[in-house]
Amino acid sequence: AESEYEPPWGRPRSVAIEAVRMETGEDVDDISVLTSVSGRAYVQAKRSLSLEVASNSDLGKSLRQFANQYISCRDGVDGRAPLDPVEDRLVLAVGTEASAPVREHLAELLDRLRNWPRDRLLTRAPSNKDEGRVLRITIDHVTQAFAQRTGVQPTDDDLRRMLALVRVITYDFGD
């Protein structure tokens, strides 16, 4: 019997997954996916994840991996091509045990930021206090990761480009 296929991560139905690699040598190393349109998805999977400020927290480490993947691709490290927000994804796959600020507020905020006008400050994107806190913590983690990797803080353009790539998707990982 045929069933409707819903492509992951906001991809159109015409795009198929062609290759999947696990525990890769990439900065985001859990899962790497290649699509039929040469799109890439780098997946960081976390059964449980909380909105934490500490840079050594699981959220801090995950966002550092995303920032490092973005920088490696942006800078062409080892021949990597820059990430394309239309074709490529940085996916934070979280379990149902992840906190609401991550599963809901971060996911909604990132969806809004993808279409946020360039002439409006990122700090104006949150629609409530919870999203404001999520944005501050996310930007702090990303800024620390950029500074650690490159010695400089990310530009507004880098922040917008990187955050446009990130999707937070909730999965029932089961046991």
Side-chain angles (χ1 to χ4, degrees), residues 48-145:
S48 176
L49 193 65
S50 297
L51 185 69
E52 296 182 64
V53 177
S55 61
N56 64 346
S57 67
D58 283 341
L59 178 64
K61 289 186 240 181
S62 295
L63 290 171
R64 182 171 48 251
Q65 287 179 331
F66 285 165
N68 286 336
Q69 189 72 53
Y70 172 83
I71 293 164
S72 291
C73 292
R74 180 198 68 184
D75 295 349
V77 174
D78 295 330
R80 288 176 180 85
L83 294 169
D84 176 352
V86 174
E87 303 298 341
D88 301 322
R89 305 286 186 266
L90 296 171
V91 180
L92 184 56
V94 298
T96 55
E97 298 170 25
S99 70
V102 173
R103 279 185 295 107
E104 298 168 15
H105 305 305
L106 180 57
E108 291 167 9
L109 179 65
L110 290 169
D111 286 346
R112 188 173 315 110
L113 287 176
R114 274 188 276 292
N115 297 310
W116 196 246
R118 306 243 357 114
D119 62 342
R120 297 200 59 203
L121 295 173
L122 288 176
T123 55
R124 306 287 290 167
S127 63
N128 57 51
K129 281 184 167 183
D130 291 330
E131 286 185 2
R133 182 170 184 263
V134 166
L135 180 63
R136 283 189 304 278
I137 290 170
T138 299
I139 287 176
D140 285 350
H141 283 307
V142 171
T143 298
Q144 283 182 330

